[in-house]
Amino acid sequence: MPSWKLVSGLFIGFVGCLVAIVGIGFAMVQIPSENLAAKSQNNVYYWADNSQMVATGTGVNRQNVTIDKIPEAMQWAVISAENKSFYQDSGVDPMGIARALANMARGGQTQGGSTITQQFVKNTYLSQDQTVTRKFKEMFISIKVGTKLKKPQILQGYLNTSYYGRGAYGIQAAAQTYFGVDAVNLKPSQCAFLAALLKGPTYYDPAGNADLDKTATPGANRQRSQERWGWILGEMHKDKHLSDADYQKAVAKYPTPQGRKATKGMTGQISYLADTAKKYVLAHSDITEAEFDKGGYQIYTTFKKDKVNALSAAVKKIQKERLNPKRDLDKYVQFGAASVVPRDGAIVALYGGDGYENGHFTNNADTSGVPVGSTWKPFVLAAAMEYGTYKSDGVGVSQLSKYNGNDHLKVMKPDGTYYLNKDNSTFFQNNESPHKWGYISLRKAMEQSINTPFVQLGVDVGMSKVRDVARSAGILDQSMSQDLNPSFAIGTSTPSAIRMADAYATFASSGRQADPYSVTAVKKDGEDQPGFSKPKVKQAMDANIANNITDVLENVVQNGTATNAKALGRTVAGKTGTTDKNKSAWFVGYTQQLSTSVAMFRENPKDHELLSMNGTAGKDSIHGGDIPTLVWTEYMGAALKNANDLGFPDAEKIGEIQDEAGAPSPTPSVTITPSQTPSNSPSPTPSVTETSPSPTPSESCQFGWGNSCNGNGGTGTGGTGGGTTPTPTVTDTTGTGNSRGNGNGGIFAGQNG
């Protein structure tokens, strides 16, 4: 055992060395020149062809003010929220630094300085790098700054150098940016709002970039802002920095800030393109918003100028033709659209709105909150093809399976009971019209966009499986309705136009999915920044499932609700969508080269609530097959000009016909009379008579699994297969066979040879 003298000596020696190291470090680290980190440059955005799109930023938006021009309420709001011991501490928090160093050593999430002095030092003298070296420099400089500057000077410097979002550095710029007043005139309620931004304007600005937060839901930024604002006022009151009367007055009303303003060059669609690219940069790198807004970055995007212009022109043309802004019901109509390359994910065009210069700062192409309606149904059918239903023991469901298409139907749970409303009354699913469809195939139901079959199918498959398929196709979890009730099957979720275009691109590319991306490279000081390699392409669903969905959606264009898209004159697949109370209308369609989504909705400009479009454009209701499809067709015609019509891969038979319980099934009457023949002679032809309900005319070529696809349609005699096995005489229009498109009628094909 070592003696106590040895242990004591080692301990004293260790402490002595530590003191010496700290002393040397303190002596060697000098306070750098102030404000070097605040110098700024432009950020330059480039089109896909590397030509310049726009240069943003002309210097930091910052005007220093003295401490006497900063309201006491602002000073105490920051102290109560950030550093209650500010006037008593030495400028550093040793325990906070130790926690940060330990976390970085473990590779965990980085942490910033925990005192106002440390944050002032970081803002003023140091880079934003989260490294051990920078942490030690921060500690020593903070101690030195604490001995050289008085606390009011440090607080003044902190409030003048902090980033408040929207390009505003410092309290004076923030007061003007958010409330249009000088800092000296800020009210306590407004001070608490601005103090909340210091925790991170990306997440606490109500009009900020909420979708950078992967857990965000519509309104998440405002909710976070209001919660922190209220908490800060409560802390100020608790710390005796707000009287009872002033506190009650401050918390009475949340100080909603003014809207964002357009900056030079950020007009038309450029504003939304740059917004989308900026969000992508911040989400895929370690670059903070404060660093990014100081400039000096070159951002190379996927956007193609000709396609962006074509999409904007298409929206404007159809708007002019169909909408009259002087008519009340045509006011406040919004469009959002996006165009994505299948098998790649590159966003080549988007339409975000009327432009920042017209006061429209929400990017309609990249927003959540607009339900997609019946454009969700392909995910339900794809899930049924992949997983089957609870009755099928894992066997996939054919598109020819029949479900009840009538209006106002009860929805049955797997346990045989029916869904109920909150008041325990029976829930009924409605269609848009009371038309009596009877039992129809899922293909027909998709063609005519009938709700009841897909709601029951979704329940039979399991809504969680529908969600899984949508997620695999590219839809983000946070945009999907969390309530997996029957209505989930018909589009209560609110993905962005970008994500819907990308998800349908998965169908276009035979099940291959790549996340949408808008930036190919970011450079600063000539150096490539990491994080911008192209997203990987993965097989998200079975190729034949995707091809079957495409086959069904081709029929929607040829015979169903999207016939306006036939004007494109190309092989097209797509789906229309219209939502409850006619609050939104969509069309999402694709070729092999491009997948494009178009959303249309009305929005109250005051509270951003969706308004009904009943009566808009002089129509009783707006459908996805109307104005959205016209915009889509106009754009795609220009975007695909001179491109080949590639068609789509053939789909092969998938799944089994699994009719809904209660569907009438055919009762075959089969009479077979064999005759005696030599063993080396062909077998005799049996006589088969089978009766079943005839399909609707549009289903005469259900899928091309038989002879009517290229034949004469209707009831007929199946063709002869190869080999020596004879073909039965068939009178039927509902069977499935093995040879595609070479017979004379009837959906039964020739017998296999």
mmCIF file of all heavy atoms in Angstrom, residues 470-512:
data_model
loop_
_atom_site.group_PDB
_atom_site.id
_atom_site.type_symbol
_atom_site.label_atom_id
_atom_site.label_comp_id
_atom_site.label_asym_id
_atom_site.label_seq_id
_atom_site.Cartn_x
_atom_site.Cartn_y
_atom_site.Cartn_z
ATOM 1 N N ALA A 470 -46.984 4.294 -47.195
ATOM 2 C CA ALA A 470 -46.828 5.713 -47.523
ATOM 3 C C ALA A 470 -45.454 6.211 -47.087
ATOM 4 O O ALA A 470 -44.789 6.961 -47.815
ATOM 5 C CB ALA A 470 -47.935 6.530 -46.861
ATOM 6 N N ARG A 471 -45.016 5.769 -45.908
ATOM 7 C CA ARG A 471 -43.696 6.176 -45.422
ATOM 8 C C ARG A 471 -42.600 5.645 -46.346
ATOM 9 O O ARG A 471 -41.662 6.374 -46.689
ATOM 10 C CB ARG A 471 -43.483 5.652 -44.007
ATOM 11 C CG ARG A 471 -42.141 6.070 -43.396
ATOM 12 C CD ARG A 471 -41.830 5.295 -42.129
ATOM 13 N NE ARG A 471 -42.777 5.582 -41.068
ATOM 14 C CZ ARG A 471 -43.523 4.657 -40.462
ATOM 15 N NH1 ARG A 471 -43.443 3.381 -40.831
ATOM 16 N NH2 ARG A 471 -44.348 4.985 -39.497
ATOM 17 N N SER A 472 -42.720 4.396 -46.760
ATOM 18 C CA SER A 472 -41.724 3.810 -47.664
ATOM 19 C C SER A 472 -41.672 4.552 -48.989
ATOM 20 O O SER A 472 -40.606 4.699 -49.590
ATOM 21 C CB SER A 472 -42.043 2.332 -47.913
ATOM 22 O OG SER A 472 -41.924 1.581 -46.734
ATOM 23 N N ALA A 473 -42.829 5.036 -49.433
ATOM 24 C CA ALA A 473 -42.880 5.755 -50.708
ATOM 25 C C ALA A 473 -42.252 7.134 -50.615
ATOM 26 O O ALA A 473 -41.894 7.715 -51.642
ATOM 27 C CB ALA A 473 -44.324 5.874 -51.180
ATOM 28 N N GLY A 474 -42.112 7.668 -49.393
ATOM 29 C CA GLY A 474 -41.452 8.965 -49.238
ATOM 30 C C GLY A 474 -42.198 9.980 -48.408
ATOM 31 O O GLY A 474 -41.730 11.112 -48.246
ATOM 32 N N ILE A 475 -43.359 9.624 -47.836
ATOM 33 C CA ILE A 475 -44.122 10.559 -47.025
ATOM 34 C C ILE A 475 -43.523 10.609 -45.618
ATOM 35 O O ILE A 475 -43.214 9.569 -45.034
ATOM 36 C CB ILE A 475 -45.610 10.148 -46.945
ATOM 37 C CG1 ILE A 475 -46.211 10.056 -48.363
ATOM 38 C CG2 ILE A 475 -46.397 11.134 -46.097
ATOM 39 C CD1 ILE A 475 -46.230 11.355 -49.126
ATOM 40 N N LEU A 476 -43.381 11.809 -45.064
ATOM 41 C CA LEU A 476 -42.799 11.979 -43.738
ATOM 42 C C LEU A 476 -43.824 11.691 -42.643
ATOM 43 O O LEU A 476 -44.995 12.038 -42.767
ATOM 44 C CB LEU A 476 -42.267 13.403 -43.566
ATOM 45 C CG LEU A 476 -41.119 13.810 -44.492
ATOM 46 C CD1 LEU A 476 -40.777 15.275 -44.288
ATOM 47 C CD2 LEU A 476 -39.897 12.941 -44.267
ATOM 48 N N ASP A 477 -43.357 11.098 -41.560
ATOM 49 C CA ASP A 477 -44.244 10.742 -40.449
ATOM 50 C C ASP A 477 -44.998 11.951 -39.908
ATOM 51 O O ASP A 477 -46.185 11.878 -39.613
ATOM 52 C CB ASP A 477 -43.443 10.107 -39.307
ATOM 53 C CG ASP A 477 -43.184 8.627 -39.544
ATOM 54 O OD1 ASP A 477 -43.984 7.989 -40.252
ATOM 55 O OD2 ASP A 477 -42.183 8.105 -39.033
ATOM 56 N N GLN A 478 -44.289 13.088 -39.763
ATOM 57 C CA GLN A 478 -44.916 14.232 -39.111
ATOM 58 C C GLN A 478 -46.042 14.846 -39.938
ATOM 59 O O GLN A 478 -46.838 15.628 -39.414
ATOM 60 C CB GLN A 478 -43.885 15.306 -38.762
ATOM 61 C CG GLN A 478 -43.176 15.935 -39.958
ATOM 62 C CD GLN A 478 -41.852 15.264 -40.249
ATOM 63 O OE1 GLN A 478 -41.691 14.080 -39.942
ATOM 64 N NE2 GLN A 478 -40.913 15.991 -40.814
ATOM 65 N N SER A 479 -46.117 14.505 -41.217
ATOM 66 C CA SER A 479 -47.197 15.048 -42.043
ATOM 67 C C SER A 479 -48.385 14.099 -42.133
ATOM 68 O O SER A 479 -49.418 14.446 -42.705
ATOM 69 C CB SER A 479 -46.692 15.352 -43.455
ATOM 70 O OG SER A 479 -46.349 14.160 -44.139
ATOM 71 N N MET A 480 -48.241 12.906 -41.561
ATOM 72 C CA MET A 480 -49.339 11.934 -41.603
ATOM 73 C C MET A 480 -50.245 12.117 -40.396
ATOM 74 O O MET A 480 -49.767 12.368 -39.282
ATOM 75 C CB MET A 480 -48.803 10.506 -41.656
ATOM 76 C CG MET A 480 -48.290 10.107 -43.021
ATOM 77 S SD MET A 480 -48.022 8.334 -43.172
ATOM 78 C CE MET A 480 -46.270 8.212 -42.884
ATOM 79 N N SER A 481 -51.528 11.977 -40.618
ATOM 80 C CA SER A 481 -52.488 12.049 -39.525
ATOM 81 C C SER A 481 -52.139 11.009 -38.474
ATOM 82 O O SER A 481 -51.865 9.852 -38.788
ATOM 83 C CB SER A 481 -53.904 11.811 -40.057
ATOM 84 O OG SER A 481 -54.830 11.771 -38.995
ATOM 85 N N GLN A 482 -52.121 11.436 -37.206
ATOM 86 C CA GLN A 482 -51.776 10.514 -36.124
ATOM 87 C C GLN A 482 -52.952 9.632 -35.734
ATOM 88 O O GLN A 482 -52.786 8.622 -35.058
ATOM 89 C CB GLN A 482 -51.284 11.309 -34.914
ATOM 90 C CG GLN A 482 -50.071 12.171 -35.201
ATOM 91 C CD GLN A 482 -48.908 11.397 -35.789
ATOM 92 O OE1 GLN A 482 -48.415 10.462 -35.166
ATOM 93 N NE2 GLN A 482 -48.471 11.754 -36.991
ATOM 94 N N ASP A 483 -54.148 10.029 -36.159
ATOM 95 C CA ASP A 483 -55.352 9.271 -35.844
ATOM 96 C C ASP A 483 -55.630 8.305 -36.994
ATOM 97 O O ASP A 483 -56.080 8.716 -38.063
ATOM 98 C CB ASP A 483 -56.528 10.227 -35.646
ATOM 99 C CG ASP A 483 -57.756 9.519 -35.080
ATOM 100 O OD1 ASP A 483 -57.728 8.273 -34.986
ATOM 101 O OD2 ASP A 483 -58.741 10.204 -34.757
ATOM 102 N N LEU A 484 -55.348 7.028 -36.767
ATOM 103 C CA LEU A 484 -55.517 6.027 -37.827
ATOM 104 C C LEU A 484 -56.951 5.516 -37.848
ATOM 105 O O LEU A 484 -57.220 4.315 -37.819
ATOM 106 C CB LEU A 484 -54.526 4.883 -37.635
ATOM 107 C CG LEU A 484 -53.039 5.270 -37.657
ATOM 108 C CD1 LEU A 484 -52.166 4.041 -37.511
ATOM 109 C CD2 LEU A 484 -52.684 6.023 -38.925
ATOM 110 N N ASN A 485 -57.880 6.453 -37.936
ATOM 111 C CA ASN A 485 -59.291 6.084 -38.011
ATOM 112 C C ASN A 485 -59.662 5.789 -39.456
ATOM 113 O O ASN A 485 -58.817 5.906 -40.357
ATOM 114 C CB ASN A 485 -60.160 7.192 -37.406
ATOM 115 C CG ASN A 485 -59.994 8.517 -38.135
ATOM 116 O OD1 ASN A 485 -59.658 8.551 -39.320
ATOM 117 N ND2 ASN A 485 -60.221 9.612 -37.441
ATOM 118 N N PRO A 486 -60.909 5.420 -39.747
ATOM 119 C CA PRO A 486 -61.257 5.069 -41.133
ATOM 120 C C PRO A 486 -60.939 6.164 -42.152
ATOM 121 O O PRO A 486 -60.556 5.873 -43.291
ATOM 122 C CB PRO A 486 -62.769 4.809 -41.049
ATOM 123 C CG PRO A 486 -62.976 4.316 -39.659
ATOM 124 C CD PRO A 486 -62.027 5.105 -38.819
ATOM 125 N N SER A 487 -61.073 7.430 -41.759
ATOM 126 C CA SER A 487 -60.844 8.531 -42.702
ATOM 127 C C SER A 487 -59.388 8.650 -43.127
ATOM 128 O O SER A 487 -59.084 9.319 -44.111
ATOM 129 C CB SER A 487 -61.318 9.852 -42.091
ATOM 130 O OG SER A 487 -62.706 9.816 -41.839
ATOM 131 N N PHE A 488 -58.478 8.008 -42.384
ATOM 132 C CA PHE A 488 -57.068 8.021 -42.771
ATOM 133 C C PHE A 488 -56.889 7.496 -44.193
ATOM 134 O O PHE A 488 -55.995 7.940 -44.918
ATOM 135 C CB PHE A 488 -56.268 7.165 -41.785
ATOM 136 C CG PHE A 488 -54.786 7.125 -42.047
ATOM 137 C CD1 PHE A 488 -53.973 8.192 -41.717
ATOM 138 C CD2 PHE A 488 -54.189 6.010 -42.634
ATOM 139 C CE1 PHE A 488 -52.605 8.161 -41.953
ATOM 140 C CE2 PHE A 488 -52.835 5.955 -42.876
ATOM 141 C CZ PHE A 488 -52.032 7.049 -42.530
ATOM 142 N N ALA A 489 -57.751 6.568 -44.601
ATOM 143 C CA ALA A 489 -57.626 5.940 -45.922
ATOM 144 C C ALA A 489 -57.948 6.883 -47.062
ATOM 145 O O ALA A 489 -57.579 6.616 -48.205
ATOM 146 C CB ALA A 489 -58.537 4.710 -45.998
ATOM 147 N N ILE A 490 -58.641 7.984 -46.775
ATOM 148 C CA ILE A 490 -59.056 8.868 -47.868
ATOM 149 C C ILE A 490 -58.453 10.261 -47.738
ATOM 150 O O ILE A 490 -59.009 11.247 -48.196
ATOM 151 C CB ILE A 490 -60.588 8.952 -47.987
ATOM 152 C CG1 ILE A 490 -61.231 9.291 -46.644
ATOM 153 C CG2 ILE A 490 -61.135 7.637 -48.541
ATOM 154 C CD1 ILE A 490 -62.734 9.508 -46.737
ATOM 155 N N GLY A 491 -57.267 10.337 -47.082
ATOM 156 C CA GLY A 491 -56.458 11.528 -47.232
ATOM 157 C C GLY A 491 -56.616 12.631 -46.226
ATOM 158 O O GLY A 491 -56.623 13.811 -46.603
ATOM 159 N N THR A 492 -56.686 12.301 -44.928
ATOM 160 C CA THR A 492 -56.673 13.347 -43.907
ATOM 161 C C THR A 492 -55.256 13.837 -43.624
ATOM 162 O O THR A 492 -55.079 14.839 -42.927
ATOM 163 C CB THR A 492 -57.297 12.831 -42.597
ATOM 164 O OG1 THR A 492 -56.634 11.618 -42.206
ATOM 165 C CG2 THR A 492 -58.787 12.556 -42.775
ATOM 166 N N SER A 493 -54.249 13.151 -44.144
ATOM 167 C CA SER A 493 -52.858 13.563 -43.946
ATOM 168 C C SER A 493 -52.533 14.787 -44.787
ATOM 169 O O SER A 493 -53.228 15.104 -45.757
ATOM 170 C CB SER A 493 -51.914 12.408 -44.290
ATOM 171 O OG SER A 493 -52.130 11.306 -43.425
ATOM 172 N N THR A 494 -51.431 15.478 -44.403
ATOM 173 C CA THR A 494 -51.130 16.760 -45.042
ATOM 174 C C THR A 494 -49.672 16.855 -45.518
ATOM 175 O O THR A 494 -48.944 17.761 -45.113
ATOM 176 C CB THR A 494 -51.423 17.913 -44.069
ATOM 177 O OG1 THR A 494 -50.612 17.744 -42.886
ATOM 178 C CG2 THR A 494 -52.881 17.956 -43.674
ATOM 179 N N PRO A 495 -49.214 15.950 -46.371
ATOM 180 C CA PRO A 495 -47.848 16.073 -46.898
ATOM 181 C C PRO A 495 -47.707 17.310 -47.785
ATOM 182 O O PRO A 495 -48.692 17.842 -48.297
ATOM 183 C CB PRO A 495 -47.663 14.795 -47.719
ATOM 184 C CG PRO A 495 -48.792 13.900 -47.345
ATOM 185 C CD PRO A 495 -49.903 14.781 -46.904
ATOM 186 N N SER A 496 -46.484 17.738 -47.967
ATOM 187 C CA SER A 496 -46.219 18.860 -48.869
ATOM 188 C C SER A 496 -46.344 18.405 -50.321
ATOM 189 O O SER A 496 -46.327 17.209 -50.631
ATOM 190 C CB SER A 496 -44.813 19.402 -48.629
ATOM 191 O OG SER A 496 -43.840 18.438 -49.028
ATOM 192 N N ALA A 497 -46.451 19.381 -51.214
ATOM 193 C CA ALA A 497 -46.482 19.070 -52.647
ATOM 194 C C ALA A 497 -45.193 18.373 -53.069
ATOM 195 O O ALA A 497 -45.208 17.478 -53.922
ATOM 196 C CB ALA A 497 -46.695 20.352 -53.456
ATOM 197 N N ILE A 498 -44.079 18.773 -52.471
ATOM 198 C CA ILE A 498 -42.795 18.132 -52.798
ATOM 199 C C ILE A 498 -42.835 16.652 -52.438
ATOM 200 O O ILE A 498 -42.438 15.787 -53.237
ATOM 201 C CB ILE A 498 -41.636 18.830 -52.059
ATOM 202 C CG1 ILE A 498 -41.411 20.238 -52.624
ATOM 203 C CG2 ILE A 498 -40.354 18.009 -52.157
ATOM 204 C CD1 ILE A 498 -40.390 21.051 -51.858
ATOM 205 N N ARG A 499 -43.325 16.334 -51.253
ATOM 206 C CA ARG A 499 -43.340 14.945 -50.810
ATOM 207 C C ARG A 499 -44.351 14.102 -51.592
ATOM 208 O O ARG A 499 -44.121 12.917 -51.826
ATOM 209 C CB ARG A 499 -43.623 14.886 -49.310
ATOM 210 C CG ARG A 499 -42.411 15.249 -48.470
ATOM 211 C CD ARG A 499 -41.373 14.135 -48.514
ATOM 212 N NE ARG A 499 -40.105 14.525 -47.902
ATOM 213 C CZ ARG A 499 -39.097 13.692 -47.709
ATOM 214 N NH1 ARG A 499 -39.186 12.430 -48.068
ATOM 215 N NH2 ARG A 499 -37.969 14.108 -47.175
ATOM 216 N N MET A 500 -45.473 14.696 -51.996
ATOM 217 C CA MET A 500 -46.433 13.937 -52.796
ATOM 218 C C MET A 500 -45.868 13.628 -54.177
ATOM 219 O O MET A 500 -46.031 12.522 -54.700
ATOM 220 C CB MET A 500 -47.752 14.699 -52.912
ATOM 221 C CG MET A 500 -48.608 14.638 -51.663
ATOM 222 S SD MET A 500 -49.051 12.951 -51.153
ATOM 223 C CE MET A 500 -50.263 12.518 -52.417
ATOM 224 N N ALA A 501 -45.200 14.598 -54.777
ATOM 225 C CA ALA A 501 -44.564 14.343 -56.076
ATOM 226 C C ALA A 501 -43.513 13.254 -55.947
ATOM 227 O O ALA A 501 -43.389 12.370 -56.802
ATOM 228 C CB ALA A 501 -43.941 15.628 -56.618
ATOM 229 N N ASP A 502 -42.755 13.290 -54.853
ATOM 230 C CA ASP A 502 -41.706 12.297 -54.648
ATOM 231 C C ASP A 502 -42.290 10.911 -54.405
ATOM 232 O O ASP A 502 -41.772 9.910 -54.903
ATOM 233 C CB ASP A 502 -40.840 12.717 -53.457
ATOM 234 C CG ASP A 502 -39.685 11.762 -53.221
ATOM 235 O OD1 ASP A 502 -38.763 11.729 -54.055
ATOM 236 O OD2 ASP A 502 -39.704 11.031 -52.210
ATOM 237 N N ALA A 503 -43.390 10.834 -53.637
ATOM 238 C CA ALA A 503 -44.000 9.526 -53.346
ATOM 239 C C ALA A 503 -44.559 8.889 -54.614
ATOM 240 O O ALA A 503 -44.424 7.683 -54.833
ATOM 241 C CB ALA A 503 -45.095 9.689 -52.299
ATOM 242 N N TYR A 504 -45.203 9.689 -55.468
ATOM 243 C CA TYR A 504 -45.717 9.146 -56.729
ATOM 244 C C TYR A 504 -44.571 8.803 -57.681
ATOM 245 O O TYR A 504 -44.710 7.929 -58.539
ATOM 246 C CB TYR A 504 -46.679 10.141 -57.387
ATOM 247 C CG TYR A 504 -48.120 9.991 -56.938
ATOM 248 C CD1 TYR A 504 -48.460 9.946 -55.590
ATOM 249 C CD2 TYR A 504 -49.151 9.897 -57.868
ATOM 250 C CE1 TYR A 504 -49.771 9.811 -55.180
ATOM 251 C CE2 TYR A 504 -50.478 9.762 -57.468
ATOM 252 C CZ TYR A 504 -50.785 9.720 -56.122
ATOM 253 O OH TYR A 504 -52.093 9.580 -55.720
ATOM 254 N N ALA A 505 -43.436 9.474 -57.528
ATOM 255 C CA ALA A 505 -42.257 9.102 -58.323
ATOM 256 C C ALA A 505 -41.823 7.684 -58.007
ATOM 257 O O ALA A 505 -41.222 7.001 -58.850
ATOM 258 C CB ALA A 505 -41.115 10.083 -58.056
ATOM 259 N N THR A 506 -42.133 7.205 -56.796
ATOM 260 C CA THR A 506 -41.826 5.820 -56.433
ATOM 261 C C THR A 506 -42.631 4.852 -57.289
ATOM 262 O O THR A 506 -42.126 3.803 -57.705
ATOM 263 C CB THR A 506 -42.115 5.593 -54.937
ATOM 264 O OG1 THR A 506 -41.350 6.533 -54.169
ATOM 265 C CG2 THR A 506 -41.753 4.185 -54.518
ATOM 266 N N PHE A 507 -43.894 5.181 -57.563
ATOM 267 C CA PHE A 507 -44.685 4.353 -58.477
ATOM 268 C C PHE A 507 -44.109 4.432 -59.890
ATOM 269 O O PHE A 507 -44.011 3.424 -60.593
ATOM 270 C CB PHE A 507 -46.142 4.815 -58.501
ATOM 271 C CG PHE A 507 -46.855 4.747 -57.174
ATOM 272 C CD1 PHE A 507 -47.674 5.782 -56.756
ATOM 273 C CD2 PHE A 507 -46.710 3.645 -56.340
ATOM 274 C CE1 PHE A 507 -48.334 5.728 -55.535
ATOM 275 C CE2 PHE A 507 -47.369 3.574 -55.116
ATOM 276 C CZ PHE A 507 -48.185 4.624 -54.719
ATOM 277 N N ALA A 508 -43.736 5.645 -60.307
ATOM 278 C CA ALA A 508 -43.237 5.849 -61.672
ATOM 279 C C ALA A 508 -41.965 5.057 -61.935
ATOM 280 O O ALA A 508 -41.690 4.659 -63.069
ATOM 281 C CB ALA A 508 -42.982 7.336 -61.917
ATOM 282 N N SER A 509 -41.179 4.836 -60.875
ATOM 283 C CA SER A 509 -39.878 4.173 -61.047
ATOM 284 C C SER A 509 -39.910 2.722 -60.581
ATOM 285 O O SER A 509 -38.897 2.185 -60.128
ATOM 286 C CB SER A 509 -38.798 4.946 -60.277
ATOM 287 O OG SER A 509 -39.146 5.056 -58.916
ATOM 288 N N SER A 510 -41.072 2.092 -60.690
ATOM 289 C CA SER A 510 -41.220 0.672 -60.332
ATOM 290 C C SER A 510 -40.753 0.378 -58.911
ATOM 291 O O SER A 510 -40.061 -0.607 -58.647
ATOM 292 C CB SER A 510 -40.461 -0.212 -61.337
ATOM 293 O OG SER A 510 -41.017 -0.089 -62.622
ATOM 294 N N GLY A 511 -41.139 1.253 -57.984
ATOM 295 C CA GLY A 511 -40.887 0.994 -56.578
ATOM 296 C C GLY A 511 -39.593 1.524 -56.024
ATOM 297 O O GLY A 511 -39.335 1.394 -54.824
ATOM 298 N N ARG A 512 -38.775 2.149 -56.859
ATOM 299 C CA ARG A 512 -37.517 2.709 -56.361
ATOM 300 C C ARG A 512 -37.750 4.118 -55.844
ATOM 301 O O ARG A 512 -38.356 4.939 -56.522
ATOM 302 C CB ARG A 512 -36.459 2.702 -57.458
ATOM 303 C CG ARG A 512 -35.845 1.322 -57.686
ATOM 304 C CD ARG A 512 -35.100 1.220 -58.986
ATOM 305 N NE ARG A 512 -36.032 1.153 -60.116
ATOM 306 C CZ ARG A 512 -35.668 0.975 -61.376
ATOM 307 N NH1 ARG A 512 -34.390 0.853 -61.680
ATOM 308 N NH2 ARG A 512 -36.566 0.917 -62.336
#
